[in-house]
Amino acid sequence: MSNTASILSSPIEYLKGVGPLRADLLKKELGIFTFNDLLEHFPYRHLDKTKITPIGQITMHMEYVQVAGRLIDFEVVGERKGKRLIAHIRDSSGTMELTWFQGISWVQKMLAIGEEFLVFGKLGFFMGKPQIVHPELEVRTAYNADGKSLLEPIYPATEKLKVRGLNGRNIAKLTAALLPQLHPNDLPENLPAHILNKLKFPSRYHAYFSIHFPADQEQYEAALRRLKFEELFIAQLRMGMIKSNRHRFSKGVVFDKVGDLFNNFYNHHLPFQLTGAQKRVLKEIRQDTARGHQMNRLLQGDVGSGKTIVALLSMLLAADNGYQSCLMAPTEILAQQHFNSLSNLLREMPLTVKLLTGSTKKKEREKILDDLQSGNIQLIVGTHALIEDPVQFQNLGLAIVDEQHRFGVAQRAELQTKGKLPPHVLVMTATPIPRTMAMTAYGDLDYSVMDELPPGRKPVTTVHRNETARPSIMDFVRKEIAKGRQAYFIYPLIEESSKMDFENLMKGYEEVKAFFPEPQFYISMVHGKQKPDVKDTNMMRFKTNDTQIMVATTVIEVGVDVPNASVMVMESAERFGLSQLHQLRGRVGRGSEQSFCILLTGNKLTNDARERLKIMCATNDGFLIAEKDLDLRGPGDIEGTRQSGTLNFKLASIVQDKEILEQAKIFSDELLQNDPDLSSAENLLLKSYLLLKKGKTEWSKVA
Ligand code: ADP
Ligand code: MG
């Protein structure tokens, strides 16, 4: 590939029809700076120029129409502000009025009585007769003569652009000026020949032409499919190469022995039999960490599938091999809880486990920092502050991140600096992520799935009720408590600062208290505005069954584990997102008792809310719920992935184009299998394309 700058990198003001003023607008409004940006400003639909409506068949329901007819008359009427140009065209079925208020003299020059015109515009009615104000007008023969596309592209535009004469249709004049200037060398092929042949794709050069100006619908679809495939394929390939390079070249600490700590715990202190899925994932982790390369693994498991014990056993493996490990959680509550359960499980093991969070007292903190550096602490639990702090480890060998959704790329990068060799990384998701999303956003990671719940679990029974059912719900909760169970009441507090939500929480607390008075009942309350020690006391009292009821906001969401709790009432459930509802519901159904989740809502519900509630009542399967969530919300809104930018494709959508994505993945896997360095002749084009685009990608994840 030559080094001379391609015409595509020319500034947009160099294009015919784009002066400095328009260039400025294109930059500001659409981010179009270069010829290439314009080329990649794709039309969102095409107007079918062959579709002409007979005037006699126009109805009130049509929005835009295109008619073809002969101009029969025109005249300028009115004065000053009322001045307008009125023309009539006629086809074999009727007559239609056209009106202009602006550019009258300019339009007038175009008009010639008796000439055949193609007229397009937004339909209006005056005294029951169809008319178009400011129609677009073209002499019809021109279209037949030049044999050009009859599908006219319409582009995304903004109001400001429209005012400046660059509406969705006029942008087509710019692309029409650009495309003929492009030579096949400006858009060299980047897909290997065997893929092109097998999938019957048009060349890259042709695809760019046809996506803007297709000859017909079929050609457009072929171009679109090719360009979508290209986007997804390149993304898969980049991810795949990061993974493959890590497998082949990265250096990692070696955990090659299963020692006393692991065996002792496994044989004598494990409180239950591991599920098949837990065993399988542990095996994957053991194999991964023994090879001398760095592990970077995503562990997906549904709520309650038992990820914590997998984390603990992995940490013992690290300790057996003489390495420290850390477990990071997104909130203090969760860090505290992990710490409690780990220290409890490990109480008879000769290991030092510590907790480090933002609220660790200065003196203790200093001691912990010293002990981490000298290696006196083998195992540390904390919030993400653990890696943001100037924490020095003696030899960190394993970092486990719980609830990946909130753990960003930057934080993962930070981790890499904590040891001489990069530590192994295990990220555990809070709830499953849809497969397509995992493939695209985390495609550089190895991937484990725990699709099995511990035995004896009964699926949570979920129902949707409205306000009128409150008294009977309270009766139900009372009966459960009488059986020795505990209950959650969850209130939305999406923004911790929302005053309204906070007032509702307090009101709710009083209401619950009225139904469940002391001394017969005791209530814990947990929310984000509390001091950590108040929060902890409330949590602990609930955990030890000192209180039977927990009134809480969503701070309770992540990973809180009280197996004796069997009822969850979610207030204003319509305000929660699907994966959040699922995650919250996962707080019950953790023991062997039948558990219940009651989704309380008002009467007025949006269709989306109704759909979410329906899905929640229909299934407990987190993998299924994740798919539905993605379908409902689209990839942009899925929490925590936004900043990664990895899901934003120009053309492809991981929701609508699942099938193309799967195909791209198969081809990219196969290609990397056969030629991991892209050194074969057939893959050279691809390789140079990747190198060329390297600086522009957002895929620079942890190396
Ligand atoms: P999550 O995957 O949501 O983090 P946890 O690790 O918190 O799940 O485990 C949920 C509950 O299931 C805990 O009470 C834990 O002790 C229990 N548990 C985990 N694995 C098993 C198992 N194999 N058999 C029985 N109970 C288990
Ligand atoms: Mg968990």
Side-chain angles (χ1 to χ4, degrees):
M1 195 161 294
S2 81
N3 282 330
T4 48
S6 153
I7 182 173
L8 284 171
S9 52
S10 312
I12 193 66
E13 46 266 61
Y14 291 6
L15 189 70
K16 201 175 133 234
V18 183
L21 217 71
R22 280 184 160 187
D24 230 41
L25 273 172
L26 286 169
K27 287 174 198 172
K28 280 208 193 91
E29 297 291 304
L30 297 174
I32 296 177
F33 289 83
T34 62
F35 284 17
N36 191 63
D37 294 336
L38 179 65
L39 184 71
E40 294 193 347
H41 187 62
F42 299 110
Y44 63 91
R45 71 184 181 106
H46 286 85
L47 184 75
D48 189 347
K49 290 245 172 184
T50 57
K51 211 169 142 198
I52 290 166
T53 308
I55 294 172
Q57 286 175 26
I58 289 174
T59 69
M60 296 279 226
H61 307 292
M62 299 176 177
E63 203 191 348
Y64 287 89
V65 287
Q66 178 159 263
V67 301
R70 214 169 278 283
L71 188 74
I72 48 177
D73 61 40
F74 65 91
E75 69 176 319
V76 178
V77 300
E79 295 284 325
R80 294 196 190 157
K81 278 194 173 168
K83 190 170 162 186
R84 60 199 188 275
L85 170 64
I86 294 179
H88 289 93
I89 64 156
R90 177 188 290 161
D91 68 6
S92 56
S93 67
T95 305
M96 183 172 196
E97 188 174 283
L98 311 174
T99 309
W100 288 264
F101 294 95
Q102 278 152 19
I104 291 175
S105 56
W106 184 75
V107 176
Q108 233 174 325
K109 282 189 204 134
M110 269 186 74
L111 300 180
I113 290 176
E115 183 110 62
E116 185 93 14
F117 284 97
L118 198 61
V119 179
F120 171 86
K122 198 172 164 130
L123 189 64
F125 282 88
F126 185 67
M127 310 267 281
K129 290 207 175 107
Q131 60 157 303
I132 300 178
V133 176
H134 284 189
E136 301 191 26
L137 196 66
E138 278 156 280
V139 177
R140 196 173 182 203
T141 46
Y143 269 82
N144 298 335
D146 69 2
K148 251 194 346 207
S149 167
L150 291 174
L151 289 175
E152 189 194 311
I154 315 271
Y155 294 89
T158 64
E159 281 312 315
K160 275 194 184 145
L161 283 167
K162 284 176 192 166
V163 171
R164 297 283 179 165
L166 276 181
N167 63 22
R169 287 187 97 191
N170 287 343
I171 291 174
K173 293 188 180 129
L174 304 184
T175 38
L178 168 66
L179 284 166
Q181 298 185 46
L182 301 181
H183 187 266
N185 283 347
D186 295 315
L187 289 164
E189 188 51 64
N190 55 11
L191 296 178
H194 80 271
I195 296 184
L196 283 179
N197 292 337
K198 198 153 183 180
L199 299 178
K200 300 194 174 61
F201 281 154
S203 74
R204 189 151 174 265
Y205 179 69
H206 279 116
Y208 270 105
F209 271 73
S210 321
I211 199 164
H212 289 284
F213 296 100
D216 53 35
Q217 191 63 23
E218 207 178 320
Q219 200 183 60
Y220 171 73
E221 274 159 24
L224 184 63
R225 191 173 173 97
R226 187 234 133 96
L227 293 174
K228 280 181 175 179
F229 177 90
E230 180 184 316
E231 259 187 316
L232 296 168
F233 176 75
I234 298 285
Q236 287 301 303
L237 205 63
R238 284 190 195 282
M239 291 275 178
M241 286 177 85
I242 294 176
K243 185 149 96 179
S244 151
N245 286 343
R246 188 177 64 246
H247 288 173
R248 292 183 300 151
F249 306 125
S250 74
K251 290 226 185 325
V253 293
V254 180
F255 299 170
D256 58 356
K257 60 171 182 277
V258 179
D260 289 346
L261 291 167
F262 188 99
N263 285 326
N264 182 8
F265 182 82
Y266 195 90
N267 296 324
H268 304 296
H269 303 292
L270 200 60
F272 36 66
Q273 275 263 313
L274 293 187
T275 64
Q278 285 169 326
K279 284 185 191 157
R280 193 185 62 236
V281 171
L282 266 174
K283 200 168 149 197
E284 287 167 350
I285 292 170
R286 274 182 46 198
Q287 284 169 349
D288 245 15
T289 52
R291 294 178 313 170
H293 299 304
Q294 189 208 8
M295 173 177 80
N296 219 332
R297 185 167 281 277
L298 177 70
L299 170 55
Q300 280 221 64
D302 205 346
V303 178
S305 60
K307 293 182 285 285
T308 315
I309 201 78
V310 172
L312 180 143
L313 285 162
S314 310
M315 292 169 104
L316 291 180
L317 189 65
D320 269 339
N321 287 275
Y323 286 96
Q324 295 171 297
S325 50
C326 68
L327 172 60
M328 284 178 292
T331 65
E332 287 218 19
I333 287 196
L334 190 60
Q336 176 78 51
Q337 184 183 280
H338 273 319
F339 173 72
N340 294 346
S341 53
L342 290 196
S343 8
N344 184 35
L345 285 161
L346 296 171
R347 65 190 177 276
E348 285 169 42
M349 304 287 295
L351 274 172
T352 311
V353 188
K354 289 286 176 193
L355 176 70
L356 184 67
T357 69
S359 51
T360 306
K361 296 265 159 23
K362 189 163 180 266
K363 219 167 160 191
E364 200 192 341
R365 162 180 226 90
E366 276 163 10
K367 172 97 174 68
I368 289 176
L369 290 181
D370 278 352
D371 285 348
L372 277 174
Q373 198 154 19
S374 65
N376 284 341
I377 294 173
Q378 287 87 33
L379 227 146
I380 182 109
V381 182
T383 53
H384 297 160
L386 202 55
I387 51 158
E388 284 149 18
D389 265 8
V391 181
Q392 293 297 323
F393 290 85
Q394 190 196 41
N395 58 357
L396 181 65
L398 171 68
I400 301 180
V401 186
D402 198 9
E403 326 298 356
Q404 157 75 9
H405 282 190
R406 290 156 207 226
F407 194 71
V409 174
Q411 288 151 314
R412 273 165 67 191
E414 182 77 23
L415 255 183
Q416 305 294 306
T417 66
K418 293 291 171 191
K420 287 175 215 81
L421 283 172
H424 297 301
V425 179
L426 178 69
V427 289
M428 310 195 292
T429 61
T431 53
I433 356 174
R435 183 181 144 72
T436 50
M437 196 152 106
M439 268 164 65
T440 37
Y442 308 113
D444 57 333
L445 307 187
D446 292 291
Y447 183 71
S448 297
V449 178
M450 296 217 299
D451 48 5
E452 183 185 350
L453 294 182
R457 294 278 174 79
K458 294 191 181 69
V460 179
T461 302
T462 304
V463 294
H464 172 206
R465 296 281 182 270
N466 65 29
E467 236 4 85
T468 51
R470 190 176 289 276
S472 62
I473 291 169
M474 292 304 188
D475 282 342
F476 178 77
V477 173
R478 196 176 283 120
K479 279 189 197 127
E480 283 294 302
I481 293 175
K483 283 194 245 164
R485 305 282 98 77
Q486 290 162 279
Y488 290 99
F489 286 83
I490 306 292
Y491 290 80
L493 215 166
I494 314 302
E495 300 277 332
E496 290 292 344
S497 57
S498 161
K499 199 163 159 253
M500 261 270 279
D501 281 350
F502 191 70
E503 280 167 9
N504 284 340
L505 172 74
M506 291 308 166
K507 231 174 73 199
Y509 173 74
E510 293 303 329
E511 214 169 51
V512 173
K513 205 164 169 179
F515 274 98
F516 299 97
E518 290 180 8
Q520 204 185 342
F521 304 95
Y522 289 95
I523 304 175
S524 279
M525 179 160 68
V526 171
H527 59 79
K529 285 188 177 175
Q530 285 166 327
K531 292 239 162 63
D533 55 326
V534 177
K535 224 185 273 183
D536 288 349
T537 316
N538 276 289
M539 281 299 307
M540 278 325 280
R541 288 188 69 200
F542 188 63
K543 211 167 166 140
T544 53
N545 205 352
D546 192 20
T547 57
Q548 300 84 34
I549 295 171
M550 166 66 81
V551 170
T553 64
T554 48
V555 293
I556 215 81
E557 172 189 344
V558 234
V560 169
D561 187 28
V562 181
N564 188 49
S566 66
V567 196
M568 172 168 288
V569 180
M570 285 192 219
E571 301 273 353
S572 308
E574 70 271 30
R575 290 184 51 197
F576 296 96
L578 205 42
S579 75
Q580 196 173 30
L581 285 170
H582 178 64
Q583 172 75 93
L584 283 163
R585 177 171 63 181
R587 304 307 109 215
V588 293
R590 307 199 133 222
S592 51
E593 299 303 322
Q594 177 63 56
S595 292
F596 304 90
C597 174
I598 300 156
L599 306 171
L600 249 180
T601 70
N603 281 324
K604 279 201 200 119
L605 295 175
T606 64
N607 284 343
D608 267 12
R610 228 172 258 292
E611 187 63 26
R612 288 198 294 273
L613 298 165
K614 208 173 101 193
I615 293 164
M616 284 300 291
C617 295
T619 183
N620 277 285
D621 180 344
F623 288 89
L624 191 72
I625 289 173
E627 295 290 341
K628 297 277 186 193
D629 197 21
L630 182 60
D631 287 348
L632 280 177
R633 289 200 292 171
D637 283 333
I638 304 287
E639 192 184 346
T641 55
R642 218 168 311 172
Q643 87 266 29
S644 72
T646 48
L647 297 169
N648 300 328
F649 296 102
K650 282 218 159 79
L651 287 168
S653 141
I654 63 167
V655 179
Q656 269 117 53
D657 302 314
K658 279 182 198 159
E659 179 223 343
I660 305 180
L661 175 58
E662 297 283 352
Q663 197 176 45
K665 164 108 174 119
I666 291 169
F667 277 97
S668 115
D669 282 354
E670 188 193 71
L671 191 141
L672 287 177
Q673 189 80 40
N674 297 330
D675 184 13
D677 296 313
L678 308 184
S679 48
S680 77
E682 205 200 19
N683 293 330
L684 278 183
L685 284 172
L686 188 56
K687 188 173 192 165
S688 51
Y689 178 82
L690 288 178
L691 286 173
L692 192 74
K693 295 273 165 164
K694 198 167 185 174
K696 293 185 187 168
T697 55
E698 292 154 285
W699 303 92
S700 49
K701 290 206 166 187
V702 176

mmCIF file of all heavy atoms in Angstrom, residues 330-352:
data_model
loop_
_atom_site.group_PDB
_atom_site.id
_atom_site.type_symbol
_atom_site.label_atom_id
_atom_site.label_comp_id
_atom_site.label_asym_id
_atom_site.label_seq_id
_atom_site.Cartn_x
_atom_site.Cartn_y
_atom_site.Cartn_z
ATOM 1 N N PRO A 330 -17.524 -3.944 43.577
ATOM 2 C CA PRO A 330 -17.859 -2.558 43.216
ATOM 3 C C PRO A 330 -18.354 -1.691 44.368
ATOM 4 O O PRO A 330 -18.321 -0.486 44.270
ATOM 5 C CB PRO A 330 -18.960 -2.723 42.169
ATOM 6 C CG PRO A 330 -19.567 -4.042 42.461
ATOM 7 C CD PRO A 330 -18.508 -4.893 43.066
ATOM 8 N N THR A 331 -18.826 -2.300 45.442
ATOM 9 C CA THR A 331 -19.321 -1.483 46.558
ATOM 10 C C THR A 331 -18.709 -1.954 47.865
ATOM 11 O O THR A 331 -18.252 -3.086 47.983
ATOM 12 C CB THR A 331 -20.852 -1.606 46.717
ATOM 13 O OG1 THR A 331 -21.159 -2.953 47.079
ATOM 14 C CG2 THR A 331 -21.586 -1.233 45.441
ATOM 15 N N GLU A 332 -18.753 -1.066 48.841
ATOM 16 C CA GLU A 332 -18.222 -1.407 50.160
ATOM 17 C C GLU A 332 -19.003 -2.536 50.799
ATOM 18 O O GLU A 332 -18.429 -3.443 51.396
ATOM 19 C CB GLU A 332 -18.280 -0.177 51.075
ATOM 20 C CG GLU A 332 -17.238 0.838 50.709
ATOM 21 C CD GLU A 332 -16.628 1.515 51.935
ATOM 22 O OE1 GLU A 332 -16.740 0.963 53.059
ATOM 23 O OE2 GLU A 332 -16.038 2.565 51.760
ATOM 24 N N ILE A 333 -20.325 -2.471 50.657
ATOM 25 C CA ILE A 333 -21.157 -3.520 51.251
ATOM 26 C C ILE A 333 -20.743 -4.882 50.733
ATOM 27 O O ILE A 333 -20.567 -5.838 51.485
ATOM 28 C CB ILE A 333 -22.653 -3.298 50.924
ATOM 29 C CG1 ILE A 333 -23.195 -2.124 51.721
ATOM 30 C CG2 ILE A 333 -23.466 -4.555 51.200
ATOM 31 C CD1 ILE A 333 -24.714 -2.060 51.757
ATOM 32 N N LEU A 334 -20.573 -4.949 49.437
ATOM 33 C CA LEU A 334 -20.242 -6.228 48.842
ATOM 34 C C LEU A 334 -18.826 -6.670 49.211
ATOM 35 O O LEU A 334 -18.580 -7.847 49.490
ATOM 36 C CB LEU A 334 -20.405 -6.164 47.323
ATOM 37 C CG LEU A 334 -20.302 -7.518 46.654
ATOM 38 C CD1 LEU A 334 -21.370 -8.464 47.157
ATOM 39 C CD2 LEU A 334 -20.401 -7.384 45.155
ATOM 40 N N ALA A 335 -17.907 -5.728 49.242
ATOM 41 C CA ALA A 335 -16.540 -6.058 49.640
ATOM 42 C C ALA A 335 -16.550 -6.607 51.071
ATOM 43 O O ALA A 335 -15.934 -7.636 51.363
ATOM 44 C CB ALA A 335 -15.644 -4.830 49.540
ATOM 45 N N GLN A 336 -17.269 -5.897 51.908
ATOM 46 C CA GLN A 336 -17.397 -6.316 53.301
ATOM 47 C C GLN A 336 -17.968 -7.729 53.378
ATOM 48 O O GLN A 336 -17.479 -8.586 54.104
ATOM 49 C CB GLN A 336 -18.336 -5.341 54.027
ATOM 50 C CG GLN A 336 -18.640 -5.688 55.465
ATOM 51 C CD GLN A 336 -17.496 -5.298 56.391
ATOM 52 O OE1 GLN A 336 -17.034 -4.165 56.357
ATOM 53 N NE2 GLN A 336 -17.034 -6.253 57.194
ATOM 54 N N GLN A 337 -18.992 -7.966 52.589
ATOM 55 C CA GLN A 337 -19.628 -9.268 52.640
ATOM 56 C C GLN A 337 -18.728 -10.384 52.122
ATOM 57 O O GLN A 337 -18.656 -11.460 52.700
ATOM 58 C CB GLN A 337 -20.908 -9.236 51.829
ATOM 59 C CG GLN A 337 -21.629 -10.558 51.942
ATOM 60 C CD GLN A 337 -22.850 -10.556 51.095
ATOM 61 O OE1 GLN A 337 -23.860 -10.012 51.485
ATOM 62 N NE2 GLN A 337 -22.732 -11.133 49.927
ATOM 63 N N HIS A 338 -18.030 -10.084 51.034
ATOM 64 C CA HIS A 338 -17.063 -11.072 50.530
ATOM 65 C C HIS A 338 -16.017 -11.365 51.593
ATOM 66 O O HIS A 338 -15.643 -12.510 51.814
ATOM 67 C CB HIS A 338 -16.354 -10.534 49.279
ATOM 68 C CG HIS A 338 -17.090 -10.817 48.013
ATOM 69 N ND1 HIS A 338 -17.722 -12.013 47.756
ATOM 70 C CD2 HIS A 338 -17.280 -10.069 46.903
ATOM 71 C CE1 HIS A 338 -18.270 -11.970 46.559
ATOM 72 N NE2 HIS A 338 -18.019 -10.800 46.017
ATOM 73 N N PHE A 339 -15.575 -10.299 52.230
ATOM 74 C CA PHE A 339 -14.562 -10.465 53.274
ATOM 75 C C PHE A 339 -15.105 -11.348 54.394
ATOM 76 O O PHE A 339 -14.448 -12.291 54.835
ATOM 77 C CB PHE A 339 -14.135 -9.099 53.818
ATOM 78 C CG PHE A 339 -13.230 -9.193 54.995
ATOM 79 C CD1 PHE A 339 -11.907 -9.623 54.843
ATOM 80 C CD2 PHE A 339 -13.682 -8.880 56.275
ATOM 81 C CE1 PHE A 339 -11.067 -9.726 55.931
ATOM 82 C CE2 PHE A 339 -12.840 -8.993 57.377
ATOM 83 C CZ PHE A 339 -11.538 -9.412 57.202
ATOM 84 N N ASN A 340 -16.325 -11.041 54.829
ATOM 85 C CA ASN A 340 -16.917 -11.844 55.903
ATOM 86 C C ASN A 340 -17.024 -13.309 55.510
ATOM 87 O O ASN A 340 -16.641 -14.196 56.273
ATOM 88 C CB ASN A 340 -18.308 -11.325 56.269
ATOM 89 C CG ASN A 340 -18.251 -9.945 56.892
ATOM 90 O OD1 ASN A 340 -17.179 -9.472 57.295
ATOM 91 N ND2 ASN A 340 -19.395 -9.278 56.958
ATOM 92 N N SER A 341 -17.548 -13.551 54.308
ATOM 93 C CA SER A 341 -17.752 -14.961 53.976
ATOM 94 C C SER A 341 -16.427 -15.665 53.700
ATOM 95 O O SER A 341 -16.250 -16.815 54.086
ATOM 96 C CB SER A 341 -18.757 -15.142 52.830
ATOM 97 O OG SER A 341 -18.390 -14.375 51.729
ATOM 98 N N LEU A 342 -15.467 -14.973 53.089
ATOM 99 C CA LEU A 342 -14.166 -15.611 52.877
ATOM 100 C C LEU A 342 -13.480 -15.890 54.209
ATOM 101 O O LEU A 342 -12.969 -16.998 54.432
ATOM 102 C CB LEU A 342 -13.248 -14.734 52.011
ATOM 103 C CG LEU A 342 -13.592 -14.561 50.527
ATOM 104 C CD1 LEU A 342 -12.397 -14.011 49.764
ATOM 105 C CD2 LEU A 342 -14.044 -15.864 49.893
ATOM 106 N N SER A 343 -13.472 -14.893 55.111
ATOM 107 C CA SER A 343 -12.769 -15.162 56.376
ATOM 108 C C SER A 343 -13.477 -16.252 57.165
ATOM 109 O O SER A 343 -12.831 -17.022 57.862
ATOM 110 C CB SER A 343 -12.558 -13.910 57.237
ATOM 111 O OG SER A 343 -13.221 -12.808 56.757
ATOM 112 N N ASN A 344 -14.795 -16.300 57.016
ATOM 113 C CA ASN A 344 -15.520 -17.353 57.707
ATOM 114 C C ASN A 344 -15.156 -18.733 57.135
ATOM 115 O O ASN A 344 -14.826 -19.663 57.868
ATOM 116 C CB ASN A 344 -17.020 -17.091 57.588
ATOM 117 C CG ASN A 344 -17.827 -18.103 58.367
ATOM 118 O OD1 ASN A 344 -17.386 -18.548 59.434
ATOM 119 N ND2 ASN A 344 -18.973 -18.488 57.832
ATOM 120 N N LEU A 345 -15.192 -18.840 55.818
ATOM 121 C CA LEU A 345 -14.863 -20.120 55.188
ATOM 122 C C LEU A 345 -13.413 -20.531 55.468
ATOM 123 O O LEU A 345 -13.097 -21.709 55.605
ATOM 124 C CB LEU A 345 -15.079 -20.029 53.673
ATOM 125 C CG LEU A 345 -16.532 -20.049 53.185
ATOM 126 C CD1 LEU A 345 -16.638 -19.505 51.769
ATOM 127 C CD2 LEU A 345 -17.103 -21.468 53.256
ATOM 128 N N LEU A 346 -12.549 -19.519 55.559
ATOM 129 C CA LEU A 346 -11.119 -19.822 55.708
ATOM 130 C C LEU A 346 -10.653 -19.759 57.159
ATOM 131 O O LEU A 346 -9.455 -19.737 57.426
ATOM 132 C CB LEU A 346 -10.296 -18.824 54.878
ATOM 133 C CG LEU A 346 -10.492 -18.881 53.361
ATOM 134 C CD1 LEU A 346 -9.802 -17.712 52.679
ATOM 135 C CD2 LEU A 346 -9.988 -20.209 52.804
ATOM 136 N N ARG A 347 -11.618 -19.756 58.103
ATOM 137 C CA ARG A 347 -11.226 -19.467 59.493
ATOM 138 C C ARG A 347 -10.230 -20.474 60.061
ATOM 139 O O ARG A 347 -9.429 -20.142 60.925
ATOM 140 C CB ARG A 347 -12.457 -19.331 60.394
ATOM 141 C CG ARG A 347 -13.268 -20.595 60.550
ATOM 142 C CD ARG A 347 -14.603 -20.345 61.239
ATOM 143 N NE ARG A 347 -15.362 -21.577 61.302
ATOM 144 C CZ ARG A 347 -16.127 -22.033 60.296
ATOM 145 N NH1 ARG A 347 -16.256 -21.332 59.190
ATOM 146 N NH2 ARG A 347 -16.749 -23.187 60.392
ATOM 147 N N GLU A 348 -10.259 -21.725 59.564
ATOM 148 C CA GLU A 348 -9.314 -22.709 60.115
ATOM 149 C C GLU A 348 -8.093 -22.901 59.236
ATOM 150 O O GLU A 348 -7.338 -23.846 59.399
ATOM 151 C CB GLU A 348 -10.036 -24.037 60.332
ATOM 152 C CG GLU A 348 -10.947 -23.964 61.547
ATOM 153 C CD GLU A 348 -11.870 -25.165 61.646
ATOM 154 O OE1 GLU A 348 -11.394 -26.293 61.403
ATOM 155 O OE2 GLU A 348 -13.060 -24.962 61.930
ATOM 156 N N MET A 349 -7.943 -22.013 58.260
ATOM 157 C CA MET A 349 -6.813 -22.154 57.348
ATOM 158 C C MET A 349 -5.706 -21.185 57.752
ATOM 159 O O MET A 349 -5.976 -20.073 58.195
ATOM 160 C CB MET A 349 -7.252 -21.830 55.915
ATOM 161 C CG MET A 349 -8.424 -22.655 55.411
ATOM 162 S SD MET A 349 -7.965 -24.339 55.046
ATOM 163 C CE MET A 349 -6.830 -24.085 53.702
ATOM 164 N N PRO A 350 -4.464 -21.626 57.595
ATOM 165 C CA PRO A 350 -3.336 -20.759 57.972
ATOM 166 C C PRO A 350 -3.074 -19.694 56.913
ATOM 167 O O PRO A 350 -2.054 -19.725 56.205
ATOM 168 C CB PRO A 350 -2.164 -21.738 58.058
ATOM 169 C CG PRO A 350 -2.509 -22.821 57.097
ATOM 170 C CD PRO A 350 -4.012 -22.911 57.065
ATOM 171 N N LEU A 351 -3.983 -18.736 56.796
ATOM 172 C CA LEU A 351 -3.881 -17.700 55.775
ATOM 173 C C LEU A 351 -4.272 -16.370 56.391
ATOM 174 O O LEU A 351 -5.148 -16.325 57.250
ATOM 175 C CB LEU A 351 -4.874 -17.968 54.652
ATOM 176 C CG LEU A 351 -4.499 -18.879 53.504
ATOM 177 C CD1 LEU A 351 -5.719 -19.130 52.650
ATOM 178 C CD2 LEU A 351 -3.374 -18.288 52.690
ATOM 179 N N THR A 352 -3.684 -15.298 55.936
ATOM 180 C CA THR A 352 -4.116 -13.990 56.400
ATOM 181 C C THR A 352 -4.974 -13.321 55.328
ATOM 182 O O THR A 352 -4.536 -13.128 54.197
ATOM 183 C CB THR A 352 -2.903 -13.098 56.727
ATOM 184 O OG1 THR A 352 -2.026 -13.850 57.559
ATOM 185 C CG2 THR A 352 -3.336 -11.838 57.432
#
